[in-house]
Amino acid sequence: MNDFPRWKYALVVVVLLLGVLYGIPNLYVQQYAVQVTANRGGTIDEALKEQVQGVLEKEKLPFDRVAIEKDTLLARVNSADVQSLALEKIKSAIGDRYVVAPNLASTVPSWLRAIGAREMPKGLDLQGGVHFLLEVDDKEVVEKQLQRYADDIRSALRDKNIRYQSVGRGPQGVVVQLRSSEDRDASLSAIQSKVPDVVVSNGSQVGDSYTLNANVKPEKIREIALNTIRQNQATLSNRINALGVAEPLIQQQGETRIAVELPGVQDTAEAKKVLGAQATLEYHAVDENGSPYDAMRTGQVPPDSKLYYRRERGADGKPVPILLKKKIIVSGDEMVDASSAPDPQSGTPAVSVVLNATGGRKMLDFTTQNVGKPMAVLYIERTPETKIIDGKEVRSTKITEEVISVASIRGVFSNRFQTTGLSSNKEASDTALLLRSGALAAPIDIVEERVIGPSLGKDNIEKGIRAVLMGLAAVLLFVAFYYWLFGLIADIALFFNLVLLLAVMSAIGVTLTMPGIAGIVLTLGMAIDANVLICERIREELRNGSTPLASIRAGYDKAWATILDANVTHLLSALALMTLGSGAIRGFGVTLFIGILTSMFTSVTVTHAITNLIHSGRKKLKGLSIGSGYTSGATA
């Protein structure tokens, strides 16, 4: 008898059922929709839902339904033409407090989404959109950091009462010029103690001038570059939300580049404008003597103040004015870090800020004289614009200024303090993100861009599905013809291998691309190799005179070592593509890696379970249906 434990039967059944359950969502076709997300001052609520629905009904545009899903509102329609018209009408009706964008809405039932079953997101080559490759100017980041360290070195020397001639940038980092060798030795000790992130060495002596050279440690440079890339990624993600892009891809490539893929976006000018925007922050004192509403109404602003508007809207939905002193206390260039955390005393949302030495001195001087008074954080964004005037292309810069936070100064502080007065933890985390982005984000240049039209993406999907089906059909027919019953068993396992592969990719959120489809087709071809080995081993045992049941047992046992060796080498190759590759190469590697794992399970365990189920109940088996010359229908 060919033994097969019951727990393995149970494992096979559970895995295959889960595979079918998590693979089903890929059969549901996405629906055209118009997506509405809240911008500055906007709120996604029932009133907005009724307004959007009223617009569609007034314009007599057919729609399926309008619903609020998480933090967005989706108006589902049945065609691309209706989607374009609805997008235009809704955008003009609800104003600039909302971002209105085209999207593809999921039609997967809610009970499937509740257990995490969802369709695979599609990449640019299948859905269409734009691809940008951005270069981060890390040299400027290091230059700014050296300037900050120069300020910190000056502060350290002043604290130790060490007289120096100058501290400034030089060809070898920061150069400190001193008057005597004693001052140089004392400075060396002070800098190493107060500025541990720099390496200090003695420089040359020119006349009566003694020099020290301070440079950033290599590991600190790598840390700065990594943090800059991460902050740029966070900033780009925050900006891309303004485009209303569904499932954008923002991925680091190498040490200085970021790849951005925006599925569904066709307007490259708008995308480049958003990606190329530059942001900074400034801290200002609030002018408590003047009336911001009078200044807004009359246009008369005190000479030492300026009228701004807060990010949030008032109860009437209108902008809230505020008067700020023109003098800048500190700016984003003097900020080192910012993080959100509850205030330890009150538990209310707060943002912790760290300034460099120069910013700390300025903040100390200001707070010493202004305890109990409000201070505001001003967010400034400069966005490049291109306009056509008299047939000529004119480039300009749009400047957006808004007050993102106003809080009272509760005590004297310098380079470390908290910003309170925020309404929620989300606002605190968003404010910290803006602060970090404004302080350390490095300039970026677009070094590559590609546009893929939606019609090409649709054509790619059709060709990809055709390739998978043709490849699957060819393998199924050949194996069934060559190995008869065992070939049909292998075909069943191959089908479930495809189901499991799609299920795993859907569950972990792998983006489906053309290279991914190529990986699926290759996986189907490779998956049958294990069954070929098993069948040939069984044939060999039959030729050596073993009984049919013994041949089955020996065939699976002896083929397993060869199957494992072959698949381990394939896994190592796929792992190398995943870890060392990027973009399309990495996508191919991910699909191949998952496919190899699923094929090892289906080709060995699933086929063994089915084979045992068919043959184990027969006490006397005179032949096996495993190809010409190995079949005998006689059983007893």
Side-chain angles (χ1 to χ4, degrees), residues 13 78 92 97 126 128 138 168 283 319 410 455 509 573 588 612:
V13 171
N78 298 320
S92 61
R97 287 189 298 163
L126 299 182
D138 56 348
Y283 281 78
R410 296 190 299 181
S455 58
S573 301
F588 177 81
N612 187 74

Side-chain angles (χ1 to χ4, degrees), residues 462-500:
E462 293 175 353
K463 289 181 178 179
I465 293 176
R466 194 181 307 124
V468 172
L469 294 179
M470 290 177 64
L472 180 63
V475 174
L476 292 178
L477 290 174
F478 174 78
V479 175
F481 174 79
Y482 197 76
Y483 290 113
W484 297 10
L485 177 61
F486 276 76
L488 292 175
I489 294 173
D491 288 347
I492 295 172
L494 190 63
F495 171 76
F496 278 109
N497 178 47
L498 177 60
V499 172
L500 286 178

Side-chain angles (χ1 to χ4, degrees), residues 496-528:
F496 278 109
N497 178 47
L498 177 60
V499 172
L500 286 178
L501 175 58
L502 295 177
V504 174
M505 292 175 67
S506 300
I508 65 178
V510 175
T511 300
L512 183 64
T513 61
M514 284 300 291
I517 293 177
I520 293 174
V521 176
L522 179 60
T523 299
L524 295 177
M526 293 170 55
I528 209 65

Side-chain angles (χ1 to χ4, degrees), residues 124-126 452 455-465 514 517:
L124 289 186
D125 48 3
L126 299 182
I452 299 176
S455 58
L456 179 60
K458 183 179 180 181
D459 186 53
N460 284 340
I461 292 176
E462 293 175 353
K463 289 181 178 179
I465 293 176
M514 284 300 291
I517 293 177

Side-chain angles (χ1 to χ4, degrees), residues 202-214:
N202 290 327
S204 59
Q205 179 182 351
V206 180
D208 295 332
S209 179
Y210 296 80
T211 62
L212 288 175
N213 295 321

